[in-house]
Amino acid sequence: MSKTVCLALTGASGMPYGLRLLECLLGAGCRVQLLYSQAAQIVARQEMDFELPSRPADARAALISRYPTVDRENLQVFGREEWFAPVASGSNPPDAMIICPCSMGTLAAIAQGLSDNLIERAADVVLKEGRKLVLVPRETPFSAIHLENMLRLARAGAVILPPSPGFYQHPQSVQDIVDFVVARVLDQVGVSHSLMQRWGEAR
């Protein structure tokens, strides 16, 4: 059976990682439950000239238009206050959740167990149900508060995966750098890919 992955986009820089993840998850046949914050809409416009509409139905249509080759039936988009979404309950959790990019505000809220919106609630559900939660925090430098929140989440079972690309593959483009990070995220949730050559493999 294909995996169900909840992907949340928040207001940190790094939207190319998030949208590339969406493309790869759908391309791998995963069912994707997409959530996004208001700040993520601003970042998408700033970094990618992509208008992510406020209405979930319009956002879904825009994403399907952007990635026309993927199976549109595998993409669901939910609003920030859509409390009847499957991800809001431990009775129907996804197999994994990725927050990419993950803002420090979102990370802090999850670390404190807050559930003031659907992104925070979904993360809380995934943690309490023992599913994989991957956070991709895009901030630098980290303050002591940031690091303490990350440690707290790591101890609770989350994976903290900063978008730190390796250069041993001699990347030739920004896309190569993005794909390196996306590949590591996909590995964490058990989704196969061919985005990068693995260490020790013949070139």
Side-chain angles (χ1 to χ4, degrees):
M1 293 180 61
S2 60
K3 289 180 178 289
T4 298
V5 179
C6 178
L7 173 62
L9 313 174
T10 67
S13 178
M15 196 56 62
Y17 299 121
L19 291 183
R20 181 62 165 149
L21 265 172
L22 175 63
E23 181 184 13
C24 291
L25 288 168
L26 291 170
C30 296
R31 293 184 298 272
V32 178
Q33 299 165 326
L34 182 71
L35 317 176
Y36 58 96
S37 68
Q38 187 174 11
Q41 295 175 263
I42 297 171
V43 175
R45 186 184 310 117
Q46 171 67 22
E47 295 188 345
M48 303 193 71
D49 294 321
F50 177 59
E51 293 291 335
L52 190 57
S54 295
R55 292 183 64 249
D58 294 341
R60 182 176 184 274
L63 290 164
I64 288 171
S65 177
R66 187 179 179 89
Y67 305 115
T69 61
V70 303
D71 186 349
R72 64 180 60 197
E73 298 303 318
N74 281 338
L75 176 62
Q76 294 178 292
V77 182
F78 297 104
R80 293 181 285 276
E81 307 296 326
E82 203 164 334
W83 299 110
F84 284 101
V87 292
S89 172
S91 67
N92 198 6
D95 296 308
M97 181 175 182
I98 304 164
I99 305 181
C100 177
C102 183
S103 69
M104 291 300 101
T106 298
L107 190 146
I110 297 167
Q112 302 306 315
L114 303 181
S115 295
D116 289 341
N117 58 52
L118 189 58
I119 293 174
E120 295 167 10
R121 172 57 183 168
D124 191 52
V125 165
V126 167
L127 281 176
K128 78 184 184 70
E129 297 297 328
R131 305 298 174 91
K132 179 66 72 77
L133 174 63
V134 182
L135 306 177
V136 184
R138 220 307 306 161
E139 184 62 86
T140 189
F142 292 128
S143 73
I145 294 172
H146 298 155
L147 293 168
E148 287 169 358
N149 285 334
M150 284 186 246
L151 179 58
R152 184 170 188 166
L153 284 166
R155 286 173 170 163
V159 174
I160 309 298
L161 198 158
S164 304
F167 291 89
Y168 52 82
Q169 295 186 319
H170 304 285
Q172 302 299 302
S173 66
V174 172
Q175 188 62 55
D176 289 344
I177 294 171
V178 169
D179 281 354
F180 181 96
V181 173
V182 170
R184 302 309 305 271
V185 177
L186 294 173
D187 286 345
Q188 285 295 319
V189 296
V191 173
S192 61
H193 62 85
S194 57
L195 293 179
M196 56 172 277
Q197 189 173 22
R198 297 185 183 278
W199 183 261
E201 292 181 348
R203 296 186 66 85

